[in-house]
Amino acid sequence: MNEQPRYCPCGSGKNYTDCCGRWIEGGESPLRAEQLMRSRYCAFVMRNSDYLLRTWHASTRPEQLRLERDVSWFGLEIVASDAGGAGDSDGRVEFIAQFNGHDRLQYLHERSRFVRENGRWFYIDGDILPPPAARKIGRNDPCPCGSGKKYKRCCG
């Protein structure tokens, strides 16, 4: 597992410890499906397979998870959330995640399903959707990694 980032990789603009870090490393449980989705994205960024497996529902969870070392995640956009609140038993979150894999920019566009059991949210599975049209990131645009820096001074 990598060292803790200063800014939360989920793109909230918050400090990692005050955002997804409290769920990944602090032992708290997300109250909403979208919070779990964001924290799972951070776990992919940090290659934390233990957290990913722990938050994956037993009915669909693989026995083990191998995260590719040559994949770098660097941007998350929440497209839509449906249900998934503190009083709900299920929820859906649609997102687009940007990553660099196999030496090219790629996108994962997914509509994920979550279920809440005994007060805890779990990832069930997701439908892969067509990737968005290619978007060019300008040198002076905010970096999609959520650091708050310009792209040219961060991941660019």
Side-chain angles (χ1 to χ4, degrees):
M1 187 167 70
N2 293 341
E3 152 182 335
Q4 286 184 1
R6 179 171 179 205
Y7 291 99
C8 194
C10 80
S12 67
K14 298 178 185 175
N15 181 293
Y16 170 75
T17 306
D18 298 329
C19 195
C20 295
R22 63 187 174 154
W23 302 308
I24 294 172
E25 298 175 35
E28 293 181 46
S29 295
L31 300 175
R32 298 186 343 253
E34 182 179 325
Q35 291 172 327
L36 178 60
M37 197 343 273
R38 287 179 175 277
S39 67
R40 286 177 57 82
Y41 170 80
C42 290
F44 273 103
V45 170
M46 298 166 54
R47 294 180 178 88
N48 185 335
S49 58
D50 291 340
Y51 181 77
L52 292 167
L53 290 170
R54 192 169 59 247
T55 58
W56 208 317
H57 193 266
S59 67
T60 57
R61 179 177 51 229
E63 286 187 31
Q64 58 182 299
L65 184 62
R66 293 165 83 179
L67 302 175
E68 294 184 44
R69 288 269 174 219
D70 66 338
V71 173
S72 300
W73 299 89
F74 65 91
L76 175 67
E77 175 188 344
I78 302 297
V79 176
S81 278
D82 181 31
D88 295 319
S89 60
D90 63 6
R92 286 152 303 286
V93 179
E94 182 179 343
F95 69 91
I96 299 170
Q98 298 176 38
F99 65 99
N100 186 355
H102 310 289
D103 296 323
R104 64 186 182 106
L105 179 64
Q106 299 183 56
Y107 296 92
L108 171 61
H109 186 186
E110 179 177 310
R111 186 174 301 118
S112 300
R113 285 183 286 279
F114 297 87
V115 66
R116 191 167 144 243
E117 291 182 351
N118 300 320
R120 292 191 57 186
W121 284 102
F122 294 94
Y123 170 78
I124 296 284
D125 60 15
D127 295 322
I128 303 299
L129 303 171
R135 299 182 229 175
K136 183 172 169 54
I137 302 169
R139 290 174 33 83
N140 290 314
D141 289 342
C143 191
C145 77
S147 69
K149 298 178 184 177
K150 290 183 179 184
Y151 178 66
K152 68 182 176 186
R153 301 234 183 252
C154 193
C155 296

